[in-house]
Amino acid sequence: MLPIIFVMPIIQLCILVFAATYDMKNTNLYVVDKDLSSHSRELISKFNGSPFFTVKDLGFSVDAGEKELFKDKVDAILVFEKGFGNDVDLKRPAGVQVLVNAIDASAAGLYNAYIQAVIQDYNLHLQPKLINAKTRQPIQIVDNSYSHLFNPEMDYIPYMLPGILVLLVTVIGLFLSAMNVVREKEIGTIEQINVTPIKKYQFLIGKLIPFLIIGFFELGVGLLLATFVFKIPFLGSLGLIYLVAFVYLLVVLGIGLLISTQTDTQQQAMFIAWFFMVVFIMMSGLFTPVESMPEWGQKLNFLNPVSYFIKMIRMIMLKGSGFKDVMRELGILGLYGIAMLTIAVNRYRKVS
Amino acid sequence: MKDEKQVIRVRNLFKKFGDFTANHDLSFDVYKGEIFGFLGANGAGKTTAIKILSGLSYPTSGEIEVAGFDVYKQRELLKRNIGYMSQKFSLYEDLTVYENIRFYGGIYGLSRKEIKMKADELLTTLNLEHVRNKRIGELPLGWKQKLAFSVAILHNPDIVFLDEPTGGVDPVTRRQFWDLIYEASRKGITVFVTTHYMDEAEYCDRVSIMVDGKIEALDTPSELKKQFEAKDMDAVFLRLARNSSYQE
């Protein structure tokens, strides 16, 4: 068991960080070109030239393209109706139809945005230059430029990694603690403990400490990998991260121990821990921004320890936030932890 | 009776689970230093009673005092003064022999020095010095049970409760186990033991026989044999247990 506890999270970290990315890699296009003009060809070649698109196939009917779409061979269809080139030449609005496979809504959003970008680029190139009559300089049209603070390349690894690290610490903390006391119930050693004068809080603190150490160790390995293998920036203080992790683990272990004292079999404990785990992670802001959740969801997140930790670890690692910046979240987590542990101690019964 | 001082005093103990009465109006005393056999068929309510006496379970009603402490109000004090070994094997299998001793010694507040001393003494007596640093899980059942018993009396309790301590071990080991029980009794530890091996009943100073949650007989083995005109405890037990609704 011990090697599993230590090795598995490291492997998970390596796999998940590379796999769970929103970067667009390659979109397969089916192009229906009924126009066959130089303009349509030019736009097609722009897609072909982009590293994000591959024109898989060319044809003359939308139906044929849809067939490919159904087979999942292509992700989107571009349709040039007859007259597209002509419209461009006559400076009339020219239309390109884009059909996107939206089974995965977030992927579809990405395809669409990238396709728009390519077409936009082509548009700019078509626009006649407006020249100022006096200075003979091109007139500046409104051009927006932006810079992404704290993650200038919009790289997904610095964004995902701290979150995945949180996830691993959570899995270890929640599952091991949830299975622990109930395991003693199953093998019978709990009876021997209950018949001794040991205090309830002493027993549960004894359960808490090993998992704290394992959690800290896991976090440490994860942070080392983050800095030296994935080379993500680490701007904040390591001490602060550990302080946050400590408080966070109190909450998670409190919940785990509470589950453990309330169940009779490891199966039950596993099931309940899994339930909380999934809800916590899905709502945590790891995969979808908390801000885009409905209001009740955001309110529910007030009780989600994972969302606090992800928020804080991202702030500390990527932004270099200090103690004062995370004080509020840390305070809430602290109270939460004390509450969970108190309930766990209270609900643990030495006498039936 | 070795000493007239009561260490367990039970009056009108009832334990109900819904409609089912597991212990029906139990009243008995156990005296200091005696080996008290608590006999009964499976399901007669022995384990329920032993759990109440050792503070693991609440009685429904009745007056119960163990080692001079009330089971309702002085539970934690009571626990300090008793030892317990359950039918489920109770040492930690993934800790070594010595780690288990240290762990339980620590819980009962023994000092490091005391623990070390007791561990040495215990392992020498049991002739188990050579497995000191072996994990409990690797040992044969008989050894484990002897260790569990020794750990249960590590803190010199007034009473030790043994719930079917010799289940599943060979006759030789059982005999050795009983030697340990006698030894503990000589040191003044009262032994409260449940069993369904009738030959073991003969080793007890006094035995009670439970049928369907009630105590049907309580006396020394020889008196019981006389009373039921039986040649051994087996016959006594069969005569009583035959009336059980459970056995029909």
Side-chain angles (χ1 to χ4, degrees):
Chain A
M1 188 67 183
L2 212 58
I4 303 176
I5 293 175
F6 290 118
V7 174
M8 221 161 61
I10 295 169
I11 297 173
Q12 274 177 316
L13 189 68
C14 294
I15 295 174
L16 282 177
V17 168
F18 285 117
T21 161
Y22 288 122
D23 283 338
M24 251 236 334
K25 287 284 139 60
N26 193 13
T27 306
N28 292 321
L29 289 181
Y30 187 94
V31 178
V32 179
D33 187 358
K34 295 182 187 164
D35 192 45
L36 292 174
S37 63
S38 62
H39 292 294
S40 67
R41 267 185 216 132
E42 198 183 341
L43 186 46
I44 294 166
S45 74
K46 271 206 174 297
F47 276 103
N48 240 338
S50 151
F52 303 110
F53 294 99
T54 311
V55 176
K56 266 275 181 210
D57 214 346
L58 280 156
F60 297 104
S61 87
V62 178
D63 287 349
E66 278 181 346
K67 266 186 195 139
E68 294 297 295
L69 200 66
F70 282 138
K71 282 189 224 151
D72 239 2
K73 291 267 172 14
V74 300
D75 306 304
I77 308 173
L78 279 184
V79 186
F80 296 92
E81 290 295 342
K82 203 158 176 55
F84 170 80
N86 221 359
D87 286 342
V88 174
D89 281 337
L90 296 175
K91 310 272 182 274
R92 284 201 306 236
V96 184
Q97 191 185 13
V98 181
L99 303 165
V100 177
N101 173 9
I103 281 185
D104 181 340
S106 67
L110 278 173
Y111 301 152
N112 198 27
Y114 278 67
I115 291 170
Q116 292 297 335
V118 174
I119 295 173
Q120 192 69 43
D121 189 44
Y122 176 71
N123 266 344
L124 275 178
H125 148 89
L126 284 181
Q127 258 171 13
K129 293 261 183 300
L130 295 170
I131 308 284
N132 186 312
K134 282 192 189 143
T135 62
R136 310 248 158 191
Q137 288 296 308
I139 292 173
Q140 283 299 316
I141 48 172
V142 177
D143 184 19
N144 47 356
S145 72
Y146 34 80
S147 62
H148 296 102
L149 294 176
F150 311 118
N151 186 357
E153 268 106 59
M154 281 294 271
D155 189 350
Y156 275 92
I157 290 181
Y159 168 78
M160 288 305 280
L161 193 136
I164 291 169
L165 208 55
V166 168
L167 210 149
L168 297 181
V169 173
T170 311
V171 173
I172 286 287
L174 194 64
F175 277 75
L176 289 185
S177 58
M179 308 288 273
N180 193 281
V181 178
V182 71
R183 182 179 127 80
E184 292 217 32
K185 286 186 201 169
E186 281 190 357
I187 58 179
T189 44
I190 194 87
E191 220 165 54
Q192 197 68 42
I193 291 292
N194 287 347
V195 86
T196 67
I198 195 169
K199 300 263 191 315
K200 295 199 282 183
Y201 74 87
Q202 291 171 328
F203 178 66
L204 288 185
I205 287 175
K207 293 289 178 199
L208 206 67
I209 292 170
F211 300 130
L212 264 180
I213 295 173
I214 295 173
F216 278 176
F217 175 84
E218 222 112 84
L219 184 65
V221 172
L223 288 174
L224 281 177
L225 282 177
T227 328
F228 294 108
V229 178
F230 296 103
K231 305 235 185 312
I232 74 167
F234 191 147
L235 303 176
S237 110
L238 183 66
L240 185 58
I241 287 206
Y242 265 89
L243 176 70
V244 171
F246 171 71
V247 176
Y248 172 73
L249 277 168
L250 289 185
V251 181
V252 174
L253 295 176
I255 296 173
L257 289 174
L258 180 59
I259 293 173
S260 207
T261 56
Q262 291 312 101
T263 47
D264 296 317
T265 64
Q266 291 192 62
Q267 256 179 337
Q268 289 172 357
M270 181 85 168
F271 207 74
I272 297 173
W274 182 248
F275 167 81
F276 279 109
M277 183 83 203
V278 171
V279 173
F280 283 167
I281 286 174
M282 286 310 189
M283 297 192 65
S284 67
L286 177 56
F287 298 111
T288 52
V290 175
E291 288 75 13
S292 46
M293 270 186 236
E295 204 166 319
W296 59 262
Q298 297 192 26
K299 279 194 179 134
L300 218 57
N301 245 344
F302 183 74
L303 289 174
N304 184 354
V306 181
S307 78
Y308 291 103
F309 192 19
I310 288 189
K311 189 172 172 194
M312 282 190 276
I313 200 171
R314 277 180 184 158
M315 282 170 80
I316 297 167
M317 281 183 80
L318 306 182
K319 250 194 324 193
S321 299
F323 179 75
K324 278 194 181 142
D325 304 310
V326 297
M327 211 163 54
R328 187 179 156 271
E329 281 81 5
L330 198 59
I332 296 174
L333 264 193
L335 290 177
Y336 198 172
I338 292 167
M340 289 328 283
L341 286 171
T342 313
I343 298 173
V345 169
N346 236 298
R347 298 299 306 171
Y348 163 48
R349 293 265 175 263
K350 281 180 78 182
V351 193
S352 60
Chain B
M1 266 135 275
K2 298 185 170 175
D3 194 328
E4 289 304 316
K5 193 175 163 247
Q6 295 163 342
V7 285
I8 299 176
R9 184 171 173 279
V10 178
R11 292 293 176 271
N12 314 107
L13 163 60
F14 281 88
K15 175 75 179 185
K16 292 178 180 160
F17 297 102
D19 290 338
F20 176 69
T21 307
N23 290 153
H24 186 93
D25 200 10
L26 306 186
S27 295
F28 59 91
D29 294 312
V30 179
Y31 301 99
K32 186 169 166 51
E34 79 172 327
I35 300 173
F36 188 85
F38 203 57
L39 274 52
N42 289 328
K46 289 171 297 178
T47 298
T48 308
I50 217 169
K51 281 194 174 162
I52 291 170
L53 294 180
S54 53
L56 279 175
S57 172
Y58 288 112
T60 308
S61 65
E63 276 175 53
I64 302 119
E65 256 182 51
V66 176
F69 300 107
D70 186 274
V71 296
Y72 297 96
K73 293 178 205 140
Q74 297 169 299
R75 195 170 285 282
E76 297 308 309
L77 281 167
L78 180 160
K79 285 178 177 171
R80 205 166 274 285
N81 292 286
I82 61 165
Y84 174 84
M85 177 187 165
S86 71
Q87 57 199 113
K88 268 197 189 174
F89 181 71
S90 49
L91 296 179
Y92 286 92
E93 303 246 330
D94 39 13
L95 294 183
T96 67
V97 171
Y98 185 68
E99 284 166 344
N100 267 291
I101 296 173
R102 204 174 55 193
F103 177 65
Y104 281 107
I107 289 184
Y108 285 104
L110 302 187
S111 71
R112 253 165 231 252
K113 230 171 129 188
E114 275 175 299
I115 291 171
K116 209 188 154 318
M117 220 175 63
K118 293 235 173 198
D120 289 340
E121 186 190 315
L122 179 162
L123 291 171
T124 321
T125 324
L126 296 180
N127 228 340
L128 291 177
E129 256 315 322
H130 59 291
V131 292
R132 187 190 189 93
N133 295 316
K134 272 237 162 76
R135 292 192 311 118
I136 290 276
E138 298 169 31
L139 305 182
L141 184 65
W143 296 14
K144 288 198 237 179
Q145 272 165 323
K146 282 192 264 182
L147 275 166
F149 176 73
S150 306
V151 169
I153 58 167
L154 197 68
H155 57 295
N156 264 329
D158 292 342
I159 310 157
V160 61
F161 292 96
L162 308 172
D163 192 3
E164 287 177 18
T166 53
V169 298
D170 61 84
V172 178
T173 312
R174 262 170 60 200
R175 185 62 241 189
Q176 291 170 344
F177 195 89
W178 273 89
D179 288 340
L180 291 175
I181 291 180
Y182 281 132
E183 164 126 13
S185 167
R186 260 199 301 280
K187 281 191 210 153
I189 298 176
T190 308
V191 180
F192 188 100
V193 55
T194 76
T195 178
H196 43 225
Y197 294 110
M198 287 307 134
D199 57 328
E200 291 187 350
E202 311 264 4
Y203 306 150
C204 298
D205 292 322
R206 284 193 307 149
V207 297
S208 76
I209 298 179
M210 254 180 112
V211 179
D212 290 345
K214 294 178 197 150
I215 292 183
E216 293 291 342
L218 198 172
D219 217 322
T220 60
S222 55
E223 277 300 317
L224 284 175
K225 280 185 277 189
K226 225 183 275 173
Q227 191 186 332
F228 289 90
E229 294 166 351
K231 65 174 181 358
D232 54 16
M233 283 305 292
D234 218 25
V236 174
F237 184 74
L238 281 177
R239 286 199 47 185
L240 283 166
R242 202 164 286 152
N243 302 327
S244 161
S245 57
Y246 223 77
Q247 307 283 313
E248 279 165 26

